[in-house]
Amino acid sequence: MCNIKKAIDNIFNDNFCAHLLNFLIRANMTTSDFDTRGQVFFQVIKKWKSDYLQKREAIQLLGIKGWYFDITIMEFSFHFYSASQEELEEYLFKIFLICEFGDLSDDEYNWYMNKFNKEFFQKHYPEFQKLFTGKEQVISDFEKNICDNFQFEFSDKCTVQLTKNTFIHKIEDYEKESEEKFSWYCSPENNSVNERVIENLKDQYPKYHNVVARLKDDLDILEIFRINEHNCENRMFYLAVRQDSVCLLAIQDFM
């Protein structure tokens, strides 16, 4: 049987951008043409969504460490336990890319389409530039901007396997901590000042509570992994693996 933890460790580490760039090249998702940058990439992401994404739900709570606490829950029809180690790593890349690029806002999309600031990176991050050496004929500014966005996202030993009880307690704690903070906004002395915040978020807490309850009652979950710590710099992911599907919780709590 494949080793899921090993596959996750092989990808989500200090060399994540190198792994990601090599995967994009192997999957024929890159182009060296500035005018067509990103076109094939987004076509492939769209097809993967159609093939593998079963459900997506976005929830926004009041931030715990930052301002807003954004949670995306995604269900995928990947069969991890029948996959080879190579296939498993491919599945992980697909899950990550669908999560990160499947529903970009216009501003996010436009950022990836910008000209890559080569002079800035030559001056401040010369080591980062080495990532592209020898690949200039098959990549554009689009792929360079992707690598820029994720160059500090993951580190060695940033993944850990959790018991289901630990996982449930943690996501219940998120709800509790956020709801306690939200209750302050709803108090009589504050609610008139924070009417917009209350209106935007009041329906989100029941939605999140239902997600937690579903996961708690889900007897098909066999293994759970956390990728990254909860902080205000990088996104954090929980991967809950079943026999014939995978659930991903992507969480960000940016300042």
Side-chain angles (χ1 to χ4, degrees), residues 50-107:
S50 175
D51 290 344
Y52 305 115
L53 182 61
Q54 298 174 321
K55 183 180 179 181
R56 181 185 186 275
E57 184 176 9
I59 297 172
Q60 189 175 69
L61 308 181
L62 198 64
I64 295 172
K65 295 184 178 182
W67 180 231
Y68 283 113
F69 195 51
D70 293 322
I71 303 141
T72 304
I73 305 97
M74 311 182 82
E75 297 279 353
F76 297 93
S77 58
F78 288 110
H79 297 245
F80 272 27
Y81 294 112
S82 61
S84 66
Q85 207 69 26
E86 183 179 346
E87 288 171 329
L88 187 53
E89 292 183 16
E90 180 182 310
Y91 294 166
L92 290 167
F93 277 122
K94 288 178 177 178
I95 288 171
F96 177 81
L97 289 168
I98 292 171
C99 177
E100 295 297 297
F101 292 94
D103 292 276
L104 290 185
S105 68
D106 290 342
D107 287 343

Side-chain angles (χ1 to χ4, degrees), residues 62-69 181 230-232 253-255:
L62 198 64
I64 295 172
K65 295 184 178 182
W67 180 231
Y68 283 113
F69 195 51
K181 191 174 177 182
H230 176 204
N231 57 38
C232 289
D253 193 18
F254 291 163
M255 288 295 192

Side-chain angles (χ1 to χ4, degrees), residues 35-208:
D35 292 331
T36 61
R37 64 199 185 283
Q39 289 185 12
V40 175
F41 178 91
F42 285 111
Q43 289 172 6
V44 173
I45 296 293
K46 184 177 180 180
K47 185 177 187 308
W48 286 347
K49 284 179 65 177
S50 175
D51 290 344
Y52 305 115
L53 182 61
Q54 298 174 321
K55 183 180 179 181
R56 181 185 186 275
E57 184 176 9
I59 297 172
Q60 189 175 69
L61 308 181
L62 198 64
I64 295 172
K65 295 184 178 182
W67 180 231
Y68 283 113
F69 195 51
D70 293 322
I71 303 141
T72 304
I73 305 97
M74 311 182 82
E75 297 279 353
F76 297 93
S77 58
F78 288 110
H79 297 245
F80 272 27
Y81 294 112
S82 61
S84 66
Q85 207 69 26
E86 183 179 346
E87 288 171 329
L88 187 53
E89 292 183 16
E90 180 182 310
Y91 294 166
L92 290 167
F93 277 122
K94 288 178 177 178
I95 288 171
F96 177 81
L97 289 168
I98 292 171
C99 177
E100 295 297 297
F101 292 94
D103 292 276
L104 290 185
S105 68
D106 290 342
D107 287 343
E108 290 169 327
Y109 177 86
N110 290 335
W111 186 88
Y112 285 109
M113 293 300 174
N114 285 336
K115 181 175 175 59
F116 179 72
N117 193 337
K118 182 178 179 180
E119 294 74 20
F120 173 84
F121 285 98
Q122 283 179 331
K123 180 178 180 180
H124 298 285
Y125 300 101
E127 292 297 315
F128 178 68
Q129 288 287 99
K130 293 181 180 179
L131 185 64
F132 312 125
T133 302
K135 301 181 176 71
E136 293 85 355
Q137 299 303 310
V138 292
I139 63 173
S140 66
D141 286 17
F142 177 81
E143 291 80 30
K144 293 178 181 179
N145 285 333
I146 287 178
C147 291
D148 173 23
N149 195 47
F150 297 121
Q151 65 168 311
F152 301 116
E153 188 81 2
F154 304 104
S155 60
D156 288 340
K157 299 180 180 178
C158 75
T159 67
V160 61
Q161 187 165 5
L162 304 174
T163 66
K164 185 177 179 183
N165 283 340
T166 300
F167 166 61
I168 294 299
H169 287 157
K170 197 63 185 175
I171 60 177
E172 285 177 334
D173 285 345
Y174 296 151
E175 179 182 23
K176 179 181 177 182
E177 291 177 47
S178 176
E179 203 160 26
E180 286 177 352
K181 191 174 177 182
F182 183 61
S183 66
W184 180 87
Y185 282 76
C186 298
S187 61
E189 61 270 25
N190 297 313
N191 62 12
S192 61
V193 180
N194 301 292
E195 287 179 357
R196 180 178 297 179
V197 174
I198 296 169
E199 187 62 30
N200 288 342
L201 301 182
K202 66 180 181 180
D203 296 331
Q204 299 292 294
Y205 287 91
K207 287 174 61 177
Y208 183 73

Side-chain angles (χ1 to χ4, degrees), residues 4-13 19 92 156-160:
I4 299 174
K5 178 66 162 60
K6 179 181 177 182
I8 295 173
D9 288 340
N10 286 347
I11 293 172
F12 299 99
N13 52 47
H19 303 320
L92 290 167
D156 288 340
K157 299 180 180 178
C158 75
T159 67
V160 61

